[in-house]
């Protein structure tokens, strides 16, 4: 009979939080097991199917636009080359992530499907069979996956893709139908329109980007429509059906009239769900929410104190940098002064990598007013920024919301070139409790996109 192997720490999932925690625990002399169900996911979602491959394609999409190719065949060739470069990039990163931990004597890597046998035991199903391991503490970092809605014909269609599978397809769709106008849907719409696809977006909501300020959302839609992207809001998808020529999507429009649109491919971009179903969490007594997210406290402990969860599987903000911060909280809880918690995250920025990118931190104008703030608003067109003019990237709008009594910056939305770099300047000013005048009067280099904060906040009258 095989002796069960004992580990001081078992980590399920090779994502950002999991791999970083594994290395940190190994550095502290802990014997660690790291379980990943797929060889193609070493390094986690971001490297393999998320941030890195999408941003690689966003980059090459922009380069393709600059070439101003007029023939679809040439655009398709650019896309095929971009897919190849993306695949080479993530293969190299995946291998590097594997080697970083495989070469660590304190870490044992298992490639297989993990499930709980008890609150300290995990069953691992591999190609060679099933094994059972024991852990003093267990950390769940299994992420989330694309949710494909239950729509007639969608499961059987050979032309329906997710954000994961479409990036493996080397053929550029001439006409792409996207189901969903959330951040992922918009990012792919912008990217594929840049490569040369005709893009149609069907979304159930009557307004684009409901959590953004209306003037920002309007600016985003205007910019994307200039790229040729066609939006149908208030659309209720009825069915998806393959034909000899492509695929037909039937839907009800905002007035409940039946409509159809056709395409070469359909991208389902209608949300993500936590990867918790196959873990057999009930065997360990770990509770989940109605949406399948693992319940955790502010220190990321589950309902079983020696079992922690981090990253997308706990729901909430699904960003790689949140997963990284989760492992910082766990390390502090294990070895520090136990002061760090999820409550520390007051101002978390995010970026949507459309062209130009949309970045935001803090409250929208509507949110600030609803919370009882008396606000002043600063707005600046991107076309007014000298750096944007010389780079010929004048599309967009910048907006900041300030508490009129305290001068505190309550939120900022940047829809402009380089916004993903600029937003951190605002975030740090907010974290440091600096008034808006701090950025209004700050000395920035010239010409730079960041110096636009001088003019943006100067538009607030005292």
């Amino acid at each position: 009979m095989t002796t069960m192997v004992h580990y001081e720490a078992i980590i399920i999932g090779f994502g950002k939080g999991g791999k970083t925690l594994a290395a940190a625990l190994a550095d502290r002399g802990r014997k660690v097991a790291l379980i990943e169900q797929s060889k193609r996911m070493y390094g986690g979602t971001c490297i393999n199917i998320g941030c890195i491959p999408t941003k690689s394609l966003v980059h090459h999409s922009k380069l393709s636009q600059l070439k101003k190719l007029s023939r679809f065949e040439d655009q398709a060739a650019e896309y095929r080359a971009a897919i190849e470069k993306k695949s080479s990039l993530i293969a190299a990163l995946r291998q590097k992530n594997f080697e970083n931990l495989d070469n660590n004597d304190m870490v044992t890597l298992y490639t297989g499907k993990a499930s709980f046998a008890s609150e300290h035991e995990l069953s691992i199903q591999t190609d060679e069979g099933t094994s059972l391991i024991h852990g003093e503490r267990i950390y769940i970092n299994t992420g989330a996956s694309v949710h494909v809605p239950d729509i007639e014909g969608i499961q059987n269609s050979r032309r329906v893709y997710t954000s994961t599978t479409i990036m493996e397809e080397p053929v550029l769709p001439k006409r792409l139908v996207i189901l969903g106008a959330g951040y992922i849907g918009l990012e792919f719409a912008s990217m594929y329109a840049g490569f040369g696809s005709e893009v149609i977006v069907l979304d159930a909501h009557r307004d684009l980007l409901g959590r953004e300020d209306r003037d920002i959302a309007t600016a985003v839609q205007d910019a994307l429509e200039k790229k040729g992207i066609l939006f149908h809001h208030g659309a209720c998808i009825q069915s998806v059906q393959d034909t000899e020529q492509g695929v037909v999507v039937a839907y009800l429009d905002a007035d409940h009239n039946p409509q159809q649109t056709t395409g070469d491919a359909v991208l389902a971009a209608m949300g993500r769900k936590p990867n918790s179903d196959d873990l057999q969490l009930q065997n360990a007594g770990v509770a989940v929410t109605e949406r399948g997210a693992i319940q955790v406290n502010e220190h990321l402990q589950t309902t079983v104190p020696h079992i922690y969860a981090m990253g997308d599987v706990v729901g909430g903000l699904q960003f790689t940098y949140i997963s990284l911060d989760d492992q910082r909280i766990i390390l502090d809880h294990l070895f520090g002064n136990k002061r760090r918690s999820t409550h520390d995250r007051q101002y978390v920025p995010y970026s949507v990598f459309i062209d130009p990118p949309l970045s935001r931190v803090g409250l929208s104008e509507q949110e600030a007013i609803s919370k009882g703030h008396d606000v002043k608003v600063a707005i600046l067109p991107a076309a007014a920024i000298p750096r944007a003019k010389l780079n010929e990237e004048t599309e967009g709008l910048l907006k900041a919301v300030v508490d009129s009594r305290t001068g505190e910056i309550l939120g900022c939305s940047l829809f402009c070139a380089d916004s993903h770099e600029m937003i951190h300047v605002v975030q740090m000013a907010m974290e440091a409790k600096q008034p808006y005048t701090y950025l209004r009067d700050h000395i920035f280099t010239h010409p730079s996109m960041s110096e636009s904060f001088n003019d943006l906040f100067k538009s607030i009258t005292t």
Side-chain angles (χ1 to χ4, degrees):
M1 182 176 179
T2 303
T3 303
M4 185 185 304
V5 183
H6 172 80
Y7 295 94
E8 291 165 281
I10 300 175
I11 299 170
I12 312 171
F14 207 143
K16 184 69 171 181
K19 68 183 181 184
T20 311
L21 181 63
L25 293 175
D27 287 345
R28 288 170 168 81
R30 271 48 175 188
K31 184 180 179 182
V32 180
L34 178 61
I35 309 168
E36 173 53 56
Q37 69 175 359
S38 170
K39 292 180 179 179
R40 293 181 59 82
M41 289 299 290
Y42 294 146
T45 294
C46 178
I47 283 174
N48 293 288
I49 60 174
C51 330
I52 299 300
T54 55
K55 278 38 169 194
S56 172
L57 291 179
V58 166
H59 170 68
H60 288 290
S61 171
K62 193 162 186 176
L63 293 180
S64 180
Q65 290 178 72
L66 294 174
K67 293 183 179 180
K68 300 187 184 300
L69 302 172
S70 57
R71 296 174 64 247
F72 182 76
E73 292 79 5
D74 295 331
Q75 295 169 328
E78 283 288 317
Y79 173 75
R80 186 166 53 252
I83 290 290
E84 292 173 356
K85 290 177 181 177
K86 177 270 304 179
S87 297
S88 296
L89 171 65
I90 64 174
L93 291 173
R94 184 190 304 132
Q95 182 64 24
K96 182 63 176 176
N97 273 263
F98 171 76
E99 292 172 357
N100 284 345
L101 291 181
D102 190 53
N103 293 335
N104 192 317
D105 292 337
M106 298 302 295
V107 179
T108 301
L109 294 178
Y110 291 87
T111 303
K113 195 169 186 178
S115 60
F116 281 89
S118 71
E119 64 177 29
H120 279 284
E121 296 171 325
L122 281 167
S123 172
I124 309 172
Q125 185 178 349
T126 68
D127 293 339
E128 290 75 35
T130 302
S131 58
L132 201 64
I133 62 175
H134 180 279
E136 291 180 21
R137 289 192 175 95
I138 300 172
Y139 308 89
I140 306 170
N141 184 221
T142 49
S145 55
V146 176
H147 168 65
V148 179
D150 187 17
I151 294 170
E152 181 184 340
I154 199 168
Q155 300 290 347
N156 297 325
S157 173
R158 293 177 292 105
R159 295 181 179 270
V160 172
Y161 300 89
T162 66
S163 56
T164 299
T165 59
I166 198 168
M167 289 191 294
E168 298 299 317
E169 180 59 50
V171 178
L172 178 67
K174 197 162 191 176
R175 185 176 167 96
L176 175 65
V177 181
I178 298 180
L179 310 183
Y183 298 134
I184 293 175
L186 292 184
E187 198 167 283
F188 276 79
S190 178
M191 176 204 309
Y192 277 89
F195 276 118
S197 296
E198 182 182 352
V199 178
I200 301 94
V201 179
L202 306 178
D203 188 59
H205 301 93
R206 288 183 175 265
D207 296 312
L208 185 70
L209 295 176
R211 41 178 311 203
E212 306 296 338
D213 281 321
R214 287 303 84 205
D215 40 11
I216 293 292
T218 299
V220 169
Q221 180 159 337
D222 289 346
L224 293 177
E225 287 178 339
K226 288 178 183 177
K227 290 177 174 287
I229 299 170
L230 183 63
F231 289 92
H232 293 290
H233 299 295
C236 180
I237 312 301
Q238 300 296 293
S239 66
V240 176
Q241 183 178 1
D242 288 358
T243 67
E244 289 184 6
Q245 292 75 33
V247 61
V248 176
V249 179
Y251 65 98
L252 300 178
D253 64 19
D255 297 319
H256 306 289
N257 298 314
Q259 305 286 349
Q260 286 187 346
T261 190
T262 60
D264 302 303
V266 172
L267 171 64
M270 303 170 78
R272 296 172 64 80
K273 60 179 181 179
N275 292 327
S276 62
D277 290 348
D278 298 332
L279 291 172
Q280 301 296 320
L281 294 169
Q282 69 277 5
N283 293 337
V286 174
V288 297
T289 68
E290 291 182 358
R291 299 174 67 91
I294 296 178
Q295 292 185 24
V296 292
N297 63 16
E298 69 274 19
H299 299 294
L300 299 165
Q301 291 171 290
T302 69
T303 47
V304 180
H306 70 268
I307 301 176
Y308 295 72
M310 55 186 158
D312 295 355
V313 75
V314 304
L317 299 173
Q318 297 195 354
F319 301 126
T320 297
Y321 43 92
I322 293 296
S323 184
L324 177 62
D325 195 56
D326 281 350
Q327 71 86 37
R328 293 190 192 111
I329 292 170
I330 290 173
L331 281 177
D332 178 70
H333 193 248
L334 295 176
F335 307 110
N337 54 24
K338 296 180 171 58
R339 292 180 182 174
R340 294 195 67 139
S341 79
T342 55
H343 298 320
D344 297 335
R345 298 171 184 153
Q346 288 185 306
Y347 309 111
V348 177
Y350 61 84
S351 295
V352 186
F353 286 87
I354 53 181
D355 183 24
L358 168 65
S359 303
R360 179 177 148 198
V361 65
L363 304 176
S364 68
E365 181 182 359
Q366 294 93 327
E367 289 170 341
I369 292 172
S370 69
K371 289 180 178 291
H373 293 280
D374 182 20
V375 303
K376 290 186 176 182
V377 174
I379 292 180
L380 181 73
I385 305 170
R387 182 76 197 191
K389 290 179 180 178
L390 70 90
N391 284 352
E392 297 183 2
E393 295 179 303
T394 56
E395 195 73 61
L397 187 70
L398 292 72
K399 180 173 182 177
V401 182
V402 168
D403 187 296
S404 61
R405 181 179 60 85
T406 64
E408 175 187 0
I409 303 170
L410 301 174
C412 185
S413 297
L414 305 175
F415 176 48
C416 63
D418 295 336
S419 71
H420 53 293
E421 301 288 354
M422 299 164 62
I423 197 66
H424 303 113
V425 176
V426 185
Q427 178 205 16
M428 287 188 282
M430 293 170 68
E431 293 274 6
K433 304 297 182 184
Q434 293 291 332
Y436 76 92
T437 53
Y438 176 75
L439 295 181
R440 183 195 68 186
D441 301 331
H442 193 77
I443 299 175
F444 295 95
T445 59
H446 174 80
S448 67
M449 291 298 291
S450 294
E451 69 176 334
S452 62
F453 293 131
N454 292 155
D455 292 330
L456 174 65
F457 288 102
K458 190 168 63 177
S459 67
I460 295 178
T461 56
T462 55

